[in-house]
Amino acid sequence: MARKRVDTERRVQIVEALHKCLIVKSFNETSIKDIAAEAGVNHGVLHYYFSSKEEILLTYIDYIIDLYKEQYAQWLAERDGRISADRQFIIDIFTFMRERITLNKNLSKVFIEIWEIGSYNKKVRAKLQKAYGEWIQNVSEIIGKKISNKKTIDIMSRALVAYFEGMALFSIIMPPGDFHASEILAWVEDYVIKSID
Amino acid sequence: MARKRVDTERRVQIVEALHKCLIVKSFNETSIKDIAAEAGVNHGVLHYYFSSKEEILLTYIDYIIDLYKEQYAQWLAERDGRISADRQFIIDIFTFMRERITLNKNLSKVFIEIWEIGSYNKKVRAKLQKAYGEWIQNVSEIIGKKISNKKTIDIMSRALVAYFEGMALFSIIMPPGDFHASEILAWVEDYVIKSID
Amino acid sequence: MARKRVDTERRVQIVEALHKCLIVKSFNETSIKDIAAEAGVNHGVLHYYFSSKEEILLTYIDYIIDLYKEQYAQWLAERDGRISADRQFIIDIFTFMRERITLNKNLSKVFIEIWEIGSYNKKVRAKLQKAYGEWIQNVSEIIGKKISNKKTIDIMSRALVAYFEGMALFSIIMPPGDFHASEILAWVEDYVIKSID
Amino acid sequence: MARKRVDTERRVQIVEALHKCLIVKSFNETSIKDIAAEAGVNHGVLHYYFSSKEEILLTYIDYIIDLYKEQYAQWLAERDGRISADRQFIIDIFTFMRERITLNKNLSKVFIEIWEIGSYNKKVRAKLQKAYGEWIQNVSEIIGKKISNKKTIDIMSRALVAYFEGMALFSIIMPPGDFHASEILAWVEDYVIKSID
DNA sequence: CATGAATGAGTTTTCATTCAT
DNA sequence: GATGAATGAAAACTCATTCAT
């Protein structure tokens, strides 16, 4: 049990080191020794806790997705844990997504990396599919409070999440201070809320 | 003169070989020898025509962007070369973008790769910024036929292009046959056209 | 602590392997794999202990210079560690330099190589400058026991060391058994000693 | 006949291009294309006029040695073509060697390169042996005007030429403006002349 | 003769992974 | 469990040389 805990701590430590590395360089440019140095452990140890570099990545993807799922759950818990049809609630939940997820630069950078790996790697893609499926489901529940047509809900939630990810991409790729991602996001949110309210 | 043509042809040949490689594996996984094999030439030749692997990539990015800019220009030329305020014209132009760009799987796959490289590589990012800037400009001109408020045009065109790219991403990442990208795109187009018409 | 020793040992082993290689071929013709083979280690190991081929060379130059500085220091230590004005002492010290340094064929061969590299490489040149500066200083101290004019000491010590190196060069370049380097050196030594005594 | 002349001109042109390259970089760092570019000819042509890179070098060595032999011959011709026992003549001839050969930086640089190649390459070494043999012979003739003992002449001429080459080396290797090669050379010349006069 | 395209062997370097201690 | 030494495959790149046109 105690061993297990140490194990888990070490794995988290390593996985968080990978996160720090990915802020600065691509997964490919990040060597096992880079991760080890960032984690403050011997690089040989990484192969004790993980079978390969890929396994660190897969674990990391779970970790980063869980981190934001938990943040969302926590945010929701602070609001009684229920999705409300309230206009203000919907404004707030979109604001949360905008500020904490879409405009989180480090997160976006890392996700561009994960997209790229996922586009060639089935295991990574499966994780993305699951995470995006859940996020789409969350958005469905939100707009489902206002719209009854299931088809419309399905389409809109997918479109919205794709749009969020497109904006996350552009917030990294486009010249900073010129693209005004925050403003665009707010405008569209407003537009959507007006449309469905 | 004849020489110049051989030069250009070889460079195009190499760059198209890179394209074929990028459909299957990442730029990093694609070795100089892979590209050479795909192009059917000796690997030393690649360094004869290009100073480095990165230069092949940069040339490729120009090539692929030009390819689609030309397709757009050609499409437009067939329609008198002018952007019209006609409802059908706008429907058609969005259909063109949807079918030929956003839902072009190979193109999307390659662009996910370019995004990732661009997120760490300034030269690549600059090329993306230019290309997206132009595309946003094109969309601005289209919706500018219907909307007069400059700010709204700016925001909507940016939002639309980001959304298109988000959809391109999801068409690659999400389970095929399940995400219904085509339908979602058509629905949103319809929605936008109705909104601005 | 044990680790540190392994480190140093391996580095010495590699540096000595380079020495053996340089007896046979130039630094440029000596590949990392050649050095590794000579050292009896895997070639990857060389990059574990040294960051680059140049760093091996720089370390080697320090090594070979230190080796002969130590031999000189040791020789001197055996003679009470002091430079004497004794005629026999001066004869002996010149003999030491002649036999152990100037006429040491392997050493001379390697130094021709280092000269060549140093003529294009600043770091190598700096090491040569330091080593020759010290050697000139040593000769100054020896002849300073007999001559009081500082200018004369400076000039003579520089001239002597340049002459020694020219003789080292010729002992490698000129047909063996024909140039009689040993005899020439002895004659000049004798001449110098007579002049200053 | 005309062809032969064109051939020779081209070969000289190439060989002079190599000289210019060797001022700046080592023979190893100098590529066939570098030489071709410096000569203003197509690189394929070098293999028409020379069988290999080594042959260019060997031809170059002949060229550079001849150049200075001719300069010496010409200088001598201007002085009636005979070596004189005149003190001033000896002063002048040493001055010529000092200024035009030993202190000629480009020449010295190139010779360090040739020494190094010659220390591993028999053909190059043979050329050096011949050239130095001739130079030593010249010096023998000069000091032979003053000294009658053949053995002494042999030793002194060899020692002098070795010393000149050592000084050439140090004029390249040692910190410029610090070693005072010119002064040292002049002092020793003076010393030698006084000794033998 | 001239050109420049093509070849392919060879170089240094990187790094995930293994493993003895 | 931890350490760091060792392995070896693979990468990008260089370049003398060849050769068809």
Side-chain angles (χ1 to χ4, degrees), chain A residues 3 7 42-43 48-49:
Chain A
R3 172 93 54 79
D7 259 51
N42 181 283
H43 73 94
Y48 181 82
Y49 290 105

Side-chain angles (χ1 to χ4, degrees), chain D residues 71-83:
Chain D
Q71 285 196 15
Y72 176 71
Q74 197 184 325
W75 182 89
L76 210 57
E78 286 166 10
R79 311 263 165 157
D80 299 337
R82 277 179 305 114
I83 288 166

